[in-house]
Amino acid sequence: MKNSLRVALAVLFVWLMWNHEVKSQERFPWQVGVFGGISPTLGTYHGDTAQANLGYVGGFFADHYFGGGDFGAGIDVRMIQHPLWGGDSVLFRNGYTATTYHNAKRFQHMGLAVGPTYRFRTGKFELELFAKGGILFQQFPNYTRELVYETADVRGGMMTQSVVIRRTANSADKALAWMGVGGLRLNYEVARNLSVFVQGDYLSTFGTRFGGKPSVFFIEELPIIQPLTEGHFVENPYEFFAEKPEIRRTFAQAVNIAAGIKYAFGRKRDSKPLVAPPPAEVVALKPKQEESKDIVVVVKDKQTGLALSGVKVTVEGAGIEHTSTTNANGETERLVAVANGTYHVSGEKNGIEATIATITPVDFERAGQTIYKELLHDDPRFTLVGETVECETEQYMSGINTMLTNETTAANISQVSDLEGKFIFQLEQQSAYNVVANQSGKYSQTERVSTVGLDRSKTLYVTLKLGVCALEQGVSWIVKNILYDFDKSDIRHDAALVLDNVVNVLRQNPTLRIELSSHTDSRGNDAYNLRLSQRRAEAAVNYLVSKGISRDRMVARGYGETRLINACANGVDCSEEDHEQNRRTEINVLSY
């Protein structure tokens, strides 16, 4: 990435110098601008050492060009934020790994830099090159990741043990560092003083100490001997992890891509061209032969014919290779003024290749300025498109860890919702899954999604809104999908999958104390319903205790039919659906 940026800067510099036929123009000497965009991370900062993910950047700059010429100096102030991409938990046969976050799950940086700038101008376009150095104020994440497992003790019971397998190892969550940033800005003048622009730059910290204190990010981790999967049974954690931890460190580095608006001001004067333009030559006009066209590729789902987003499409040939991703309409970004030639078009999504198309000179000879090509993608799975939203306002929430569990195999995978709160999983046909948010300080319902009975030739997408709520004292919620057999209190397999989420919530929030209550409908003897609901509540608490949760953090309470949530009391004729609303399990936060 860094080498590509250097090559691009060099090529642009040579091209603009070659085309710079006018003496330096004295233009507006002062300018200010604001910008915002995305910030992809690089190297070990993106890799497993820091696990910093794609984030965003925003800021402003101010520059002064000396004498109104092409050389100047300026200041750059920016804020950058990178969420973490690492998974929070892994379940295996007799335990799990879980992460406890002691502050925000992200890196956050505030940079202040000064340095030189240089600009070229041709018509309404202006290109600026800048290189600045300064100070980066850093906020590091602080977390601990533990391996928790159960083994038999000498008395034949079960005991829970834990080992810290990864933690941050910084002396403080905040640090200062020297930083450098360099890049280019392409401006287009939309009014006399106003321009819009796009810019790209590379930012990196350097040095290991600032003011006698560490300026890089540290983690301490037990090296992995063999990957831990859901099928493993752990008796000795050091079969999977080394006994001696290793300490790794990394500096921050990212490529920032942004757009913005710029205002220029001050006295403006233009000098005359170095060479007077030659008189125009009068020639007879000839019909222009069309030698180039635009190219647009559309990808559709083969089985339903629906437009397919998120497909990586590559167009290569005649000296070019261009890759882009299809939008919500299934279209790639438009390739403009592509030279006549032969091009091969391919696509891929979720590891499955799409059909292949070829563009030939014959396509360039047809009428119209745009060549359209269609690819078909055939993935037999359904696509779950989910969105994490705040449970009351339904505003999207980004950076939420979600977990998908197959009800039959108990296999699970996790994913963090993106900047728009979206997450995507692939679902097998004729299968049922549980989806839940899994993050410290928050809880969600365990939502069930199923492809049973769905026809893949008619349906591609399964949608879900996953409500995520903050844990607070006094909050209560109904736990979905905890079902019991008639007149029994045994924990069924499907209910155990839902209770496993409650286990994760309690593990990730060690100060949380709850009341777990069971309720019945009004049918049957009142006293019997009260006893049955108490047995069911106690069975649920006993299950949580068997998973390593301390009993003194929970209260089991059976309310029978004393807290109906509708009018279906004794003697009232109600539908089965109305009675089912009253047969519920609730959790109430006693303290947090």
Side-chain angles (χ1 to χ4, degrees), residues 112-424:
L112 172 64
V114 295
T117 62
Y118 186 73
R119 63 184 177 183
F120 301 94
R121 187 177 182 90
T122 174
K124 290 182 176 293
F125 288 94
E126 182 177 73
L127 182 70
E128 295 176 276
L129 307 179
F130 56 89
K132 295 179 170 66
I135 300 174
L136 192 69
F137 302 83
Q138 305 177 95
Q139 170 74 57
F140 297 145
N142 184 352
Y143 61 87
T144 303
R145 187 165 299 159
E146 291 183 290
L147 170 73
V148 181
Y149 63 101
E150 294 181 335
T151 56
D153 60 21
V154 293
R155 295 173 295 179
M158 300 297 292
M159 63 177 178
T160 301
Q161 302 184 68
S162 64
V163 175
V164 175
I165 58 175
R166 180 185 178 110
R167 69 179 183 87
T168 54
N170 304 285
S171 57
D173 297 345
K174 297 179 180 179
L176 297 176
W178 297 111
M179 62 163 274
V181 59
L184 55 86
R185 181 182 305 120
L186 179 61
N187 306 273
Y188 178 75
E189 187 179 88
V190 295
R192 184 172 182 270
N193 299 84
L194 199 65
S195 299
V196 294
F197 64 84
V198 293
Q199 75 176 39
D201 59 64
Y202 170 71
L203 181 146
S204 176
T205 59
F206 54 89
T208 59
R209 303 186 72 82
F210 184 101
K213 298 181 180 180
S215 61
V216 293
F217 177 71
F218 290 88
I219 65 112
E220 180 181 287
E221 183 173 43
L222 300 182
I224 296 175
I225 298 175
Q226 62 171 316
L228 184 61
T229 67
E230 66 270 12
H232 281 115
F233 186 92
V234 175
E235 292 182 320
N236 178 10
Y238 300 113
E239 293 178 359
F240 301 89
F241 299 93
E243 295 187 35
K244 183 177 180 181
E246 66 176 20
I247 295 180
R248 300 197 301 272
R249 68 183 184 184
T250 182
F251 55 91
Q253 57 174 335
V255 171
N256 304 295
I257 303 168
I261 189 168
K262 182 181 78 173
Y263 182 79
F265 56 96
R267 185 179 179 184
K268 175 181 178 182
R269 293 178 296 168
D270 293 325
S271 62
K272 294 183 179 180
L274 179 64
V275 180
E281 181 180 357
V282 179
V283 295
L285 294 176
K286 296 181 180 180
K288 181 180 178 180
Q289 182 178 359
E290 190 172 352
E291 297 181 350
S292 64
K293 287 182 180 290
D294 297 350
I295 295 176
V296 174
V297 181
V298 178
V299 184
K300 294 181 178 180
D301 176 54
K302 183 177 180 180
Q303 299 194 39
T304 62
L306 296 175
L308 196 59
S309 63
V311 182
K312 180 181 176 182
V313 176
T314 301
V315 179
E316 56 183 333
I320 71 167
E321 180 175 349
H322 182 271
T323 300
S324 61
T325 302
T326 56
N327 60 22
N329 297 318
E331 297 180 353
T332 60
E333 70 178 42
R334 178 182 293 265
L335 285 175
V336 179
V338 178
N340 193 329
T342 299
Y343 302 86
H344 300 285
V345 186
S346 59
E348 180 272 333
K349 181 179 182 180
N350 297 325
I352 296 179
E353 302 289 337
T355 56
I356 296 175
T358 302
I359 299 172
T360 68
V362 175
D363 294 299
F364 286 87
E365 295 171 2
R366 296 192 175 103
Q369 181 56 34
T370 303
I371 298 173
Y372 288 93
K373 286 294 177 180
E374 181 176 288
L375 304 183
L376 297 177
H377 186 264
D378 191 11
D379 187 343
R381 298 172 295 179
F382 294 85
T383 298
L384 170 65
V385 180
E387 185 178 17
T388 50
V389 298
E390 205 280 327
C391 59
E392 294 184 1
T393 65
E394 292 200 354
Q395 296 295 313
Y396 71 77
M397 300 178 67
S398 62
I400 302 297
N401 191 68
T402 61
M403 181 172 291
L404 176 79
T405 303
N406 188 301
E407 285 189 357
T408 302
T409 66
N412 58 68
I413 54 177
S414 62
Q415 187 180 137
V416 177
S417 59
D418 64 16
L419 295 176
E420 295 181 348
K422 287 186 170 53
F423 59 91
I424 297 175

